[in-house]
Amino acid sequence: MTRAVKRTTHQGIREAIRARIISGEWKLGERIPGEVALAEEYGCSRTTVNRALQTLAQEGMVERKRKGGTRVRPLPTSQAQFRIPIMREQVESRGHRYSHRIESREVRVPPMAIRKQLELPDNDPAAYVESLHLADGKPFAFEKRWVNLGSVPAFSDADLSHESANEWLVRHVPFSRGEVRLSASAANAKQARLLGTDKGAPLFTMHRLTWFEERTITAIELSFAPGYEITFGV
Amino acid sequence: MTRAVKRTTHQGIREAIRARIISGEWKLGERIPGEVALAEEYGCSRTTVNRALQTLAQEGMVERKRKGGTRVRPLPTSQAQFRIPIMREQVESRGHRYSHRIESREVRVPPMAIRKQLELPDNDPAAYVESLHLADGKPFAFEKRWVNLGSVPAFSDADLSHESANEWLVRHVPFSRGEVRLSASAANAKQARLLGTDKGAPLFTMHRLTWFEERTITAIELSFAPGYEITFGV
DNA sequence: GAGTGGTCTAGACCACGGT
DNA sequence: CCGTGGTCTAGACCACTCA
């Protein structure tokens, strides 16, 4: 049984207002009463109403403008929190045993596209790691990773036998920001062999590029074994 | 030039604390000073510090527990706001002209998997629409949609000549929640023909299932033409 | 110019959860 | 138990933006 939320908490008021919007009492694009009016109606302080409305605005249910008041969004925008998948967590949360295996590791000059992404001076080498993420020993995802040694020189000596390249980097460069691209691509020969599928099979693919304070850190391509899905609520 | 944020606003304090975490002053998993201490340090009220920390918690940078205090997240969780793509917006924001075309429309009993998703009583028919989303007249995405007529009977008479099924539904059932799955799949013959690619080509695919107040509304499969990517910052 | 949201404050009480 | 975060309040001033 769900515990009812008190009427005069910011959560209670938020849900009450949400219900009134959903019920159609205030229609799409329509202006709803001001904070002062709502505070009086609900018998609470304006601060509390403000918090409720700010949350609804963040969720995309209403739009707020000074002087313009608060309006129901004309076209509701669905949005969701998307958590970047961490391999180990992902596998273990499904009740499987996680492991990973380095397929190859070297230092060399990356192809043009990667040099550009990593903003590498020409002919500067970078670390390259190919690895396989496994669930209960079965291939789960294939990872190609380039690491900018200009930004993270210590990566050359990283011991990747017990933690993945990602885990090592997270410990050494914890707060990086990044850009993510999701796409579908056809398995090449190597991917097909390592992921146990056929050449040309459709693979869900994620590219990531991360920075720490204006310096590029690493560029990753993750190809997931067939059947992989990302799921989230909206 | 970016306007500096005042030191005693919740934004300013949030960024100050973020900087101290990034700088390594407080390490991963470490407990940071309490709200009262920070309020004193920054010369503001506890309320303001509270708001700054709540925001950082929401972003996933810190974890907060009563009595336990506030800690830097042991493993930083990257997360992003992901906006559900609206076809028209998506196409028009790239400077193309959006159009769409109904390929087929009928009412019939859906296959088992869809009946289950839509929680349809056996043998109840549903509306089925196949349509193509175009950018500058070129195929962009192929949509297969089932609509639960038990929940939205008016859909039978919907005029889809000027708006897409999605746009019609958004106007009539604006505040639905949903579940999204992203995957990669191989183009079948029809998809290949309509999207102008080859059979077996990898297609980025999005499945959506939406509800309004415990009633299922619609189940959608969107297959994007090759080359399509979703991009977002983290 | 004036109305509306954005934010800060100081104080208060509550609820959770480690010790 | 009792320290910490969670929240509410009443009042105040500010900043944007519409008319």
Side-chain angles (χ1 to χ4, degrees), chain B:
Chain B
M1 163 120 188
T2 325
R3 180 80 160 62
V5 179
K6 280 222 214 81
R7 254 178 49 95
T8 54
T9 62
H10 67 98
Q11 297 174 29
I13 289 169
R14 165 170 35 92
E15 294 314 316
I17 293 175
R18 191 204 304 283
R20 290 170 79 172
I21 291 175
I22 289 177
S23 78
E25 177 176 341
W26 298 312
K27 301 195 182 17
L28 297 184
E30 200 170 302
R31 182 164 166 175
I32 77 175
E35 296 186 349
V36 188
L38 288 169
E40 192 163 352
E41 176 178 346
Y42 285 107
C44 65
S45 72
R46 179 166 84 92
T47 317
T48 304
V49 172
N50 179 277
R51 181 157 179 192
L53 289 176
Q54 286 204 13
T55 307
L56 288 174
Q58 209 182 6
E59 287 178 18
M61 179 153 277
V62 299
E63 271 176 347
R64 321 192 69 201
K65 256 187 279 186
R66 281 160 158 145
K67 170 73 182 181
T70 301
R71 292 176 179 282
V72 180
R73 256 243 153 78
L75 285 171
T77 350
S78 286
Q79 49 188 14
Q81 281 283 331
F82 172 81
R83 292 219 339 283
I84 302 305
I86 297 174
M87 289 298 139
R88 179 185 296 276
E89 269 184 17
Q90 212 170 157
V91 169
E92 290 178 347
S93 73
R94 295 175 192 192
H96 301 290
R97 187 177 48 78
Y98 172 81
S99 57
H100 82 110
R101 189 168 80 214
I102 308 284
E103 288 295 322
S104 74
R105 180 176 180 181
E106 54 184 317
V107 173
R108 62 178 170 92
V109 177
M112 185 57 198
I114 300 290
R115 286 209 301 277
K116 200 171 164 189
Q117 279 182 48
L118 288 180
E119 296 161 15
L120 279 185
D122 277 3
N123 302 323
D124 262 30
Y128 180 60
V129 182
E130 289 189 346
S131 60
L132 206 53
H133 300 268
L134 307 131
D136 287 338
K138 278 179 52 185
F140 176 71
F142 175 60
E143 175 184 306
K144 290 163 63 170
R145 176 189 297 264
W146 291 92
V147 179
N148 185 346
L149 293 174
S151 305
V152 204
F155 186 78
S156 298
D157 304 317
D159 173 12
L160 300 183
S161 57
H162 288 88
E163 60 185 351
S164 70
N166 187 58
E167 289 169 331
W168 187 94
L169 282 169
V170 158
R171 284 199 304 107
H172 289 75
V173 193
F175 298 100
S176 51
R177 56 197 175 79
E179 188 181 281
V180 174
R181 286 181 294 139
L182 303 177
S183 59
S185 63
N188 61 26
K190 182 188 277 183
Q191 289 169 331
R193 175 169 50 81
L194 290 170
L195 293 175
T197 183
D198 297 323
K199 186 154 179 278
L203 301 181
F204 188 82
T205 303
M206 178 167 108
H207 289 262
R208 283 177 67 182
L209 181 58
T210 66
W211 288 265
F212 177 67
E213 291 177 346
E214 311 311 319
R215 302 191 62 115
T216 61
I217 301 295
T218 185
I220 310 147
E221 180 191 288
L222 268 170
S223 315
F224 293 87
Y228 178 80
E229 294 185 335
I230 278 186
T231 310
F232 50 92
V234 180

Side-chain angles (χ1 to χ4, degrees), chain A residues 74-138:
Chain A
L75 285 172
T77 3
S78 285
Q79 47 188 13
Q81 284 281 334
F82 175 82
R83 292 211 340 280
I84 301 306
I86 298 172
M87 289 298 140
R88 179 185 296 277
E89 272 184 16
Q90 214 170 157
V91 168
E92 290 178 348
S93 74
R94 296 176 190 192
H96 301 290
R97 187 177 47 79
Y98 172 81
S99 58
H100 83 111
R101 188 169 80 214
I102 307 285
E103 289 295 321
S104 74
R105 181 176 180 179
E106 54 184 318
V107 173
R108 61 179 170 91
V109 177
M112 186 55 198
I114 299 290
R115 286 209 301 278
K116 201 171 165 190
Q117 280 182 51
L118 288 180
E119 295 160 15
L120 280 185
D122 279 2
N123 302 323
D124 262 31
Y128 180 61
V129 182
E130 288 188 347
S131 59
L132 206 53
H133 300 268
L134 307 131
D136 286 339
K138 278 180 51 185

